[in-house]
Amino acid sequence: MKLSLKKVLIIIALLGGVIFASTTLVSAQEDVLQVLILNSYHPTYGWAEEVVQGIYDELLSSDYLMDIHVEFMDTKRYPVEDIQEELINLYSKKYDPSNIDLIFITDDNALKFMFMYYDEFFQYAPIVFCGIGFPEEYDFTDLSNITGFQEDSEFLENFRLIETVQPDVENLFLVAGTSPTALGVVDSFRSDLEEYTGKLVFHEITGLTIDETIQKIQEVPENSAIIVVPFSRDGNGEFMNWDSFLKIIGESTNQPIYSAFSFQVGDYVLGGNVIDGYFHGKKAAVRGLEILNGKSPSEFPIEKDGGHYIVFNYDEMQEHGLNRGNLPDGARIVNEPQTIWYRYTVEIFIVGLLMLGLSVFSILLLMNIRRRKEAEKRLRFLTSFDALTGMHNRHSYMEELQRLKSFGGVGSYPVGILFIDMDDLKVVNDLLGHEKGDHYIMRVSKLLQQQFGDNSFIARIGGDEFIVIQTNVLQDSWMEQINGFMKLVDDEQLSQNEYLFGVAIGQVVCNSMKLLDQAIRDADYFMYQKKYTTKEHLNKTT
């Protein structure tokens, strides 16, 4: 198709205007990124819940469109060695690893699983891990697509905290089970113990059955404290839910209980210098976004997560005779009763606003108007555009028809109408899955945008149906555009080494507003006639 210099300049100007004025629409039409979070544990386990939520919140605050998948391996109940084959078979059926854009690995069992099946599943996407107790046990030498954070349990700081808050404590008992997480944390405890120079005497209640553990806890003497680490499996390999275990030990002793993990500071636990799973997840997600922005995982060293803080449980503080003055500066308190300020914050704030006068009210009014306009803008987008492709939807298409049939469309004729229907999309969905079907829909939508997007109204009006409407159409250039689109479809088919998708089209040029409804019906009829003619031809040839 030959274009004059004048037409080329017009097209360039239109493209520049569209790019400048439609940044949001173009962004919505970008491919949705596929993100997989592989979590070692079960969703009701506090640490796992915190880490996943931190990753989610940070990812969803970005400008990327993402489809986030979460897989919980449940290795607190079932050792990864016992279920690894079932898991990799399941994940291989659910996901095409070459289509995953980013993977998060949380905690040691998931990382161990990743190393087992790296070549089979994990080599294709960048990987960010977190919650790893001892990354030095793994060889990352030849794995340039991996980076992450080491879990950093501050036991030494907890020893010092206990001495400060409860100086009468003489003995500190460590309670731990036999899960891989517990064993790793115990090693960290012992390592920090080597640097400790204070007066506490240390004891371990580890590697025992649940009954033996409870008996030992009941024997803990006065002027002692207990520090617990995640307990899910005892010396016989028996699983116990953490909340149930904590309730049992809390009711078996009057001595204060500390923890190095934020999710454990609640009922029965006094407090501690804790690592926060939510912060841990957010930090991993920030690194993942940096990688999506173009950085290589190999640019980042494996480092400790940091982000510890001191937190205490108000109810347990009352139980053990502590008040805010006993705590270090900056310590947080959970479950603290609301003071007058906390209970009546809204009322006090309203009174303050009234005292500020009309000027403050005017500012709030302007802010409210702005928020409403933004909400209306979002609502218009949701009601007028297709969520998958970013194109106009059927509602928007019906509004365009009404415009063309009203006074506003008088100067729009002749109007070109093109119906497009994808062939065998149901077969694709049935054989290859709806994600592949959506992938083909996105391909067709991009080809339509490429060929008609400059000066046409394009809409997805059904699952696999599209329509193009072009006003003030010239018959020759209109047919050239249609032929160009079909060539793009043919080229796309030849370039794909997989199931070939095709389209059926029907087109009409309408010269009068009165004939628009009939022209729509004719274009739709021609499209279906072409579709069925092609099927009959294929059936005869096969």
Side-chain angles (χ1 to χ4, degrees):
M1 179 175 65
K2 295 183 178 179
L3 297 174
S4 66
L5 178 59
K6 181 178 180 181
K7 289 182 177 179
V8 171
L9 293 175
I10 292 174
I11 290 174
I12 292 174
L14 288 172
L15 282 172
V18 169
I19 292 171
F20 179 77
S22 305
T23 303
T24 302
L25 178 58
V26 172
S27 176
Q29 294 170 346
E30 293 177 349
D31 287 340
V32 176
L33 298 178
Q34 300 299 315
V35 177
L36 174 62
I37 303 174
L38 186 60
N39 189 287
S40 294
Y41 309 132
H42 47 283
T44 57
Y45 182 58
W47 172 261
E49 184 180 21
E50 285 184 352
V51 172
V52 171
Q53 192 63 54
I55 294 174
Y56 248 100
D57 288 354
E58 189 65 32
L59 292 182
L60 294 180
S61 68
S62 72
D63 294 328
Y64 289 102
L65 297 177
M66 296 185 184
D67 190 5
I68 304 174
H69 309 267
V70 184
E71 295 291 346
F72 291 95
M73 298 173 65
D74 205 11
T75 59
K76 288 289 184 186
R77 295 184 177 92
Y78 310 102
V80 65
E81 294 82 4
D82 295 345
I83 58 174
Q84 61 189 46
E85 292 185 6
E86 289 82 0
L87 289 177
I88 193 61
N89 289 337
L90 174 64
Y91 300 159
S92 297
K93 288 180 180 178
K94 292 181 68 174
Y95 308 106
D96 178 356
S98 64
N99 287 336
I100 299 176
D101 299 288
L102 181 62
I103 297 176
F104 290 94
I105 298 290
T106 74
D107 296 287
D108 292 85
N109 286 333
L111 186 65
K112 182 187 299 183
F113 180 81
M114 183 277 293
F115 271 94
M116 293 175 183
Y117 298 100
Y118 179 84
D119 292 336
E120 181 176 343
F121 192 90
F122 294 96
Q123 64 170 309
Y124 304 95
I127 296 171
V128 180
F129 64 77
C130 61
I132 307 304
F134 297 95
E136 64 272 9
E137 295 181 2
Y138 304 93
D139 184 8
F140 299 93
T141 305
D142 298 322
L143 306 182
S144 61
N145 65 324
I146 300 177
T147 185
F149 297 92
Q150 177 182 355
E151 180 183 300
D152 183 18
S153 302
E154 288 281 10
F155 285 107
L156 185 60
E157 294 303 320
N158 273 291
F159 303 157
R160 295 166 178 163
L161 176 65
I162 294 170
E163 283 186 333
T164 301
V165 174
Q166 294 184 292
D168 292 334
V169 170
E170 300 173 356
N171 301 286
L172 180 61
F173 289 78
L174 171 69
V175 178
T178 59
S179 69
T181 300
L183 295 176
V185 175
V186 169
D187 286 344
S188 179
F189 178 91
R190 292 169 179 167
S191 176
D192 285 356
L193 188 58
E194 295 176 359
E195 300 181 40
Y196 176 70
T197 58
K199 67 179 182 64
L200 292 175
V201 178
F202 293 88
H203 313 267
E204 290 189 13
I205 304 176
T206 60
L208 305 177
T209 67
I210 292 174
D211 291 339
E212 292 169 343
T213 300
I214 299 305
Q215 181 178 349
K216 289 290 185 181
I217 289 173
Q218 291 172 342
E219 297 171 357
V220 170
E222 294 294 322
N223 296 329
S224 298
I226 297 170
I227 188 164
V228 291
V229 301
F231 190 109
S232 60
R233 199 171 298 280
D234 70 2
N236 288 336
E238 294 294 327
F239 172 83
M240 172 168 276
N241 179 275
W242 163 252
D243 292 330
S244 299
F245 178 76
L246 185 58
K247 184 175 187 295
I248 292 174
I249 67 170
E251 294 176 350
S252 300
T253 182
N254 294 321
Q255 305 311 307
I257 300 174
Y258 288 83
S259 175
F261 296 86
S262 63
F263 77 93
Q264 294 180 329
V265 179
D267 292 344
Y268 307 106
V269 176
L270 175 59
N273 190 308
V274 298
I275 177 175
D276 190 314
Y278 182 82
F279 173 85
H280 201 52
K282 283 178 70 72
K283 193 166 184 179
V286 168
R287 178 154 296 180
L289 291 173
E290 290 179 308
I291 292 171
L292 291 178
N293 284 332
K295 291 190 176 182
S296 170
S298 60
E299 297 180 40
F300 301 100
I302 296 172
E303 59 186 279
K304 292 186 177 181
D305 63 338
H308 298 81
Y309 57 87
I310 296 173
V311 61
F312 279 82
N313 177 11
Y314 180 85
D315 294 333
E316 293 298 316
M317 287 173 59
Q318 299 303 299
E319 180 73 21
H320 296 284
L322 298 180
N323 55 52
R324 184 180 288 275
N326 298 119
L327 307 184
D329 292 340
R332 306 180 188 181
I333 300 177
V334 297
N335 299 327
E336 185 175 14
Q338 293 183 344
T339 63
I340 292 177
W341 167 256
Y342 286 114
R343 294 185 63 183
Y344 300 102
T345 301
V346 175
E347 290 81 357
I348 295 173
F349 183 70
I350 291 175
V351 171
L353 288 178
L354 292 175
M355 295 175 63
L356 289 176
L358 183 61
S359 59
V360 175
F361 176 78
S362 299
I363 293 174
L364 292 175
L365 182 61
L366 290 174
M367 292 174 61
N368 185 53
I369 292 173
R370 180 179 178 182
R371 285 195 298 268
R372 289 190 177 188
K373 288 183 177 180
E374 291 175 350
E376 290 172 358
K377 190 175 181 180
R378 289 195 298 270
L379 181 61
R380 284 197 299 272
F381 179 84
L382 292 173
T383 57
S384 300
F385 292 89
D386 175 56
L388 176 64
T389 63
M391 288 181 166
H392 292 282
N393 60 16
R394 189 174 190 85
H395 175 78
S396 183
Y397 159 64
M398 298 305 296
E399 289 185 340
E400 177 66 8
L401 289 186
Q402 290 301 316
R403 186 189 71 81
L404 292 173
K405 291 189 288 186
S406 67
F407 179 78
V410 170
S412 301
Y413 292 84
V415 171
I417 301 165
L418 175 65
F419 270 93
I420 304 99
D421 184 270
M422 296 179 63
D423 293 329
D424 297 326
L425 184 63
K426 185 178 185 302
V427 176
V428 174
N429 287 333
D430 292 342
L431 295 180
L432 304 178
H434 285 273
E435 288 187 0
K436 181 61 71 174
D438 289 347
H439 180 62
Y440 286 151
I441 290 173
M442 289 295 296
R443 287 189 189 176
V444 172
S445 69
K446 288 182 177 180
L447 295 181
L448 287 170
Q449 288 288 339
Q450 179 178 340
Q451 190 65 13
F452 297 99
D454 294 341
N455 56 356
S456 302
F457 176 91
I458 309 173
R460 181 187 177 201
I461 59 175
D464 59 354
E465 294 183 345
F466 300 82
I467 190 168
V468 178
I469 298 175
Q470 190 173 122
T471 58
N472 298 309
V473 70
L474 299 176
Q475 181 73 34
D476 291 341
S477 62
W478 172 245
M479 293 307 301
E480 286 180 359
Q481 284 184 290
I482 294 174
N483 292 333
F485 168 71
M486 294 305 296
K487 184 177 185 304
L488 288 175
V489 172
D490 291 339
D491 293 342
E492 181 78 0
Q493 290 176 331
L494 293 175
S495 67
Q496 301 300 320
N497 186 22
E498 56 184 325
Y499 186 90
L500 299 181
F501 72 93
V503 298
I505 64 171
Q507 72 85 24
V508 168
V509 175
C510 177
N511 293 297
S512 170
M513 183 186 302
K514 296 180 180 180
L515 300 176
L516 182 60
D517 286 336
Q518 183 61 45
I520 294 289
R521 289 191 291 271
D522 288 345
D524 189 51
Y525 171 78
F526 295 149
M527 182 266 291
Y528 277 103
Q529 187 180 51
K530 176 66 175 176
K531 187 178 186 73
Y532 292 128
T533 300
T534 302
K535 285 189 175 181
E536 290 178 1
H537 175 71
L538 291 174
N539 290 334
K540 290 179 180 179
T541 57
T542 57

